[in-house]
Amino acid sequence: MLRFYFDPTILLIIPALIISIWAQIKVSSTFKKYSKVFTKRRMTGYSAARTILDANGLHYVKIERVRGHLTDHYDPRANVIRLSDSVFDSPSTAAVGVAAHEAGHAIQYAQDYSPIKLRSTIIPISRYGSMLSIPLFFVGLIMTFQPLMLFGIILYSTVALFQLVTLPVEFNASARALATLKNSKMLDETELSGAKKVLSAAAMTYVAALLTSLLTLLRLIILAGGNSRRR
């Protein structure tokens, strides 16, 4: 009855975990490197985000400091960009790149960018999927109750769908940020290269998350199929 805990399909998850760990190390090391490279104009993360927002008519979007390292995010419900301690008042190319990226998300919402609207719709469902799908699936596997396993798979597929939709949202926010930083001449070419490397490293964490969710979904499907054949 406990055989599935040691099922060889667990090996599917190992490559994704390795890539996820590598991506986290990469983004941390890249941010650390370029957080020591200061912009010539001494523009901080806050001032970069504020400049980009105002240039796009988003004067109503506030910018606040939030504790933590790389905890930066845009809250569309409160219309607030929250920048971490290492970004808010840092004049580094890394900080400016991250802040500009979050401003890019605010612009996406303001312009009704389709993928981010779709992601917002999926978020509530995917949250339940991430919490309930795996427990429900394995309860169904233990009880050899196929409908419950199938329901678990369907729930988890919303997690994979969320990760898939997240990719174009994040890539587009970075592209908007880099284009704005270049066209406004807030950063010169060398500084822009550093900001791009930071954002590219961050993007890999989303790729790794998608890969993990897809391989996990594949594992659940394989387990369900094997259980069905044994019945």
Side-chain angles (χ1 to χ4, degrees), residues 58-177:
L58 303 182
H59 307 282
Y60 56 87
V61 176
K62 298 179 181 179
I63 304 174
E64 299 176 350
R65 184 193 293 266
V66 64
R67 290 184 178 180
H69 177 63
L70 294 179
T71 50
D72 313 88
H73 63 279
Y74 170 63
D75 182 351
R77 293 169 298 180
N79 275 323
V80 173
I81 289 178
R82 298 189 174 97
L83 301 179
S84 62
D85 293 328
S86 54
V87 170
F88 188 89
D89 54 9
S90 171
S92 69
T93 56
V96 170
V98 171
H101 175 89
E102 298 308 328
H105 281 313
I107 296 170
Q108 287 175 333
Y109 275 98
Q111 296 181 353
D112 288 329
Y113 179 60
S114 297
I116 206 165
K117 291 172 64 178
L118 177 59
R119 189 176 74 165
S120 297
T121 302
I122 297 171
I123 284 176
I125 304 172
S126 65
R127 282 177 180 166
Y128 285 110
S130 64
M131 290 187 295
L132 300 176
S133 57
I134 301 299
L136 287 176
F137 176 86
F138 281 108
V139 168
L141 190 60
I142 293 171
M143 298 173 61
T144 64
F145 186 54
Q146 204 72 11
L148 188 57
M149 293 165 62
L150 179 60
F151 183 57
I153 290 174
I154 292 172
L155 273 180
Y156 192 81
S157 67
T158 64
V159 177
L161 178 60
F162 171 78
Q163 298 295 352
L164 181 62
V165 175
T166 292
L167 280 187
V169 170
E170 296 300 330
F171 285 139
N172 178 264
S174 290
R176 289 172 185 264

